[in-house]
Amino acid sequence: MTDTIRAPLGTAPTDRTPSLRAWTVILAGLGALLCSLDVVVVATALPALRADFGASLSQLEWTINAYNLVFACLTLTGAALGDRFGRRRMYVAGLALFTLASAAAALASGPGQLITARVVQGAGAAVLLPLTLTLISEAFPAEKRGVAIGVWGGVTGLGVAAGPVLGGAVTEGLSWQWIFWLNVPIGLAMLPLAATKLRESYGSRPQLDIVGLVLAAVGLTGLAWAPVRAPEVGWGSVEALAAMAVGVVFVAAFLGWERKGARYPMLPLGYFRRRAFSTANASAFLLFASLLGALFMITQLFQIGLGYNPLEAGVRILVWNATPLLIAPIAGVLADRYGTRPFMLGGLVLQATGLALLAWQVEPGVGYDRLVGPLIIAGVGISMVFPSVANAVTASVPLSDAGMAAGVNNALRELGGVFGVAVAAAVFTTYGGYATPETFVDGCGPALWVAAGIAAIGAAAAAFAPSRGGS
């Protein structure tokens, strides 16, 4: 195993060799690929799960939201564990947990077991994903970090791109279980490489903020639980209102504790006074709320509304989801030169425009040729935002706090995904349903309009980001 290097707290190690950088990008990229793939890979299999298990709309939502919810609520914890116990060590632990949970999901015999496995999978991803960005930030100097993060964003985009196609191909050619089995050999191959090729590093906090971890986890769970359950139990129900109240109280308690009580706070609140940090995180939340809300509807639209099989649907969606693989690395390079604001703002404007055009075109029997252009426009927009947000967040804090910054960013974007799916499902059930392809399309169009609106709000937030060199 490579030697452990424990740099002085708050400083960066100086021996950033080309070999270390190469392995860091490869392994961090693969970790991000697995995590992002499993956000979306289930989407194309939703109709098959509905047929196989007789799953309800709520259970279908939970196959996605169980993963995203735990991912969102524990990612701050994952980043803190990496800072305290070692980023390489916790990366390996998160990868092992993710791999085991993938096998459990593949073996599930009912929606309850599948949802439980997805919860554990989300916990593994919550440790794994924030550390991918931290490892890159630690291995690369600031002037080269945008390029590396651009590659990371492209690989993350590959996960988003490959998800619907891979899910469709596997569901059509084998069975939905194989969308999870495929993670297992990849994870097993990565484990010894991560343990031997990555360098160990630590954050600047010698102790875990246990009180902060508990308060943040409970608070974020309450805030996410309410919109996830509200479409089924009602927004005015005791359950939804109680969950929201618990979330607000615990998040407020977390913020108070971090401001005055924590000796080593896991979230220095002063960073939110930095426009670069706050606007990038707001943009990430709204980007993923729009993206996953739209994805939840579009993958089903192509199958239920337009009659394509899972593979045909995945291939047709590829023009939307494949663009990050091509555009994100370029955007990362250009963001180093021109700053991140133009790419955050322009990307969210394009995403909003593409989804609005898509919603405008959606009607019973619509031809694929009328949907291609809007999908490409939205995809290019998403590709510009991925690396720009990640670069802006990590560049806005000291290197020693890169893990914390990545954890906050990942928590907010995954929480945004939970809200996005919940809102899309609520709008869909208000205007349509699963009774016929026509009723599905009736509900899908308004849900896509809402996703476009969320992206437009994200563009407004990005407009307040500082110019290059601003704070």
Side-chain angles (χ1 to χ4, degrees):
M1 185 176 293
T2 56
D3 292 336
T4 295
I5 297 177
R6 187 158 195 156
L9 295 178
T11 64
T14 58
D15 57 336
R16 300 178 174 116
T17 65
S19 176
L20 167 70
R21 293 175 184 169
W23 276 113
T24 300
V25 169
I26 290 169
L27 291 167
L30 286 173
L33 174 65
L34 288 176
C35 295
S36 60
L37 185 67
D38 272 64
V39 172
V40 298
V41 72
V42 178
T44 317
L46 289 176
L49 288 170
R50 183 167 173 259
D52 195 7
F53 289 153
S56 65
L57 174 63
S58 175
Q59 289 171 327
L60 292 178
E61 283 187 77
W62 274 107
T63 61
I64 295 178
N65 279 335
Y67 179 85
N68 291 343
L69 179 66
V70 176
F71 200 162
C73 296
L74 295 184
T75 191
L76 274 176
T77 301
L81 290 172
D83 284 351
R84 174 64 181 87
F85 296 110
R87 291 154 179 167
R88 179 184 65 192
R89 181 180 291 115
M90 295 311 302
Y91 179 96
V92 172
L95 179 61
L97 184 62
F98 183 92
T99 303
L100 287 171
S102 297
L107 294 170
S109 59
Q113 293 179 15
L114 177 59
I115 292 167
T116 300
R118 290 283 282 170
V119 167
V120 180
Q121 214 182 14
V127 176
L128 186 59
L129 186 61
L131 295 181
T132 65
L133 195 54
T134 308
L135 289 166
I136 289 176
S137 297
E138 193 273 338
F140 285 81
E143 65 273 11
K144 295 183 179 181
R145 200 171 297 149
V147 178
I149 290 177
V151 173
W152 173 89
V155 175
T156 303
L158 176 62
V160 177
V165 179
L166 182 62
V170 170
T171 301
E172 183 72 15
L174 297 169
S175 67
W176 64 262
Q177 286 87 349
W178 280 93
I179 64 178
F180 298 111
W181 279 126
L182 290 176
N183 293 336
V184 176
I186 297 173
L188 291 176
M190 288 173 60
L191 282 169
L193 291 172
T196 57
K197 300 298 184 182
L198 294 175
R199 181 180 53 201
E200 189 64 282
S201 64
Y202 298 80
S204 59
R205 295 168 180 79
Q207 295 179 8
L208 278 178
D209 177 14
I210 300 297
V211 174
L213 292 178
V214 174
L215 292 174
V218 175
L220 290 175
T221 300
L223 291 180
W225 187 274
V228 167
R229 289 286 293 151
E232 182 174 356
V233 301
W235 288 93
S237 67
V238 173
E239 179 181 346
L241 293 175
M244 185 62 69
V246 168
V248 170
V249 169
F250 273 81
V251 167
F254 168 72
L255 296 176
W257 171 258
E258 295 297 290
R259 185 171 61 252
K260 296 182 178 179
R263 184 177 181 185
Y264 299 102
M266 62 186 291
L267 177 58
L269 298 181
Y271 287 152
F272 282 99
R273 291 194 292 270
R274 302 182 181 186
R275 282 194 298 147
F277 186 80
S278 57
T279 55
N281 279 303
S283 298
F285 177 90
L286 294 163
L287 166 72
F288 268 73
S290 173
L291 171 60
L292 291 189
L295 180 70
F296 181 74
M297 299 312 308
I298 291 172
T299 52
Q300 297 185 81
L301 168 68
F302 275 78
Q303 297 177 71
I304 298 172
L306 303 182
Y308 296 111
N309 66 40
L311 177 58
E312 292 170 340
V315 170
R316 282 163 175 78
I317 295 170
L318 192 61
V319 297
W320 177 38
N321 290 7
T323 48
L325 181 61
L326 304 174
I327 304 298
I330 299 172
V333 172
L334 294 177
D336 271 344
R337 181 177 301 177
Y338 300 108
T340 56
R341 181 173 65 180
F343 299 94
M344 289 165 53
L345 174 58
L348 282 159
V349 167
L350 287 176
Q351 182 183 0
T353 301
L355 292 179
L357 291 172
L358 189 69
W360 182 44
Q361 294 291 342
V362 167
E363 62 184 16
V366 63
Y368 178 66
D369 59 312
R370 291 168 55 190
L371 306 180
V372 172
L375 288 170
I376 292 175
I377 292 171
V380 170
I382 294 165
S383 307
M384 294 167 62
V385 184
F386 271 152
S388 304
V389 163
N391 200 354
V393 167
T394 55
S396 65
V397 302
L399 181 61
S400 59
D401 276 342
M404 178 279 302
V408 172
N409 185 245
N410 282 289
L412 288 174
R413 76 179 202 173
E414 298 307 325
L415 192 61
V418 172
F419 273 80
V421 172
V423 170
V427 173
F428 168 76
T429 55
T430 299
Y431 293 95
Y434 285 107
T436 66
E438 290 74 21
T439 59
F440 184 90
V441 171
D442 288 342
C444 183
L448 291 176
W449 278 114
V450 171
I454 293 173
I457 298 171
F464 288 95
S467 59
R468 183 177 176 85
S471 61

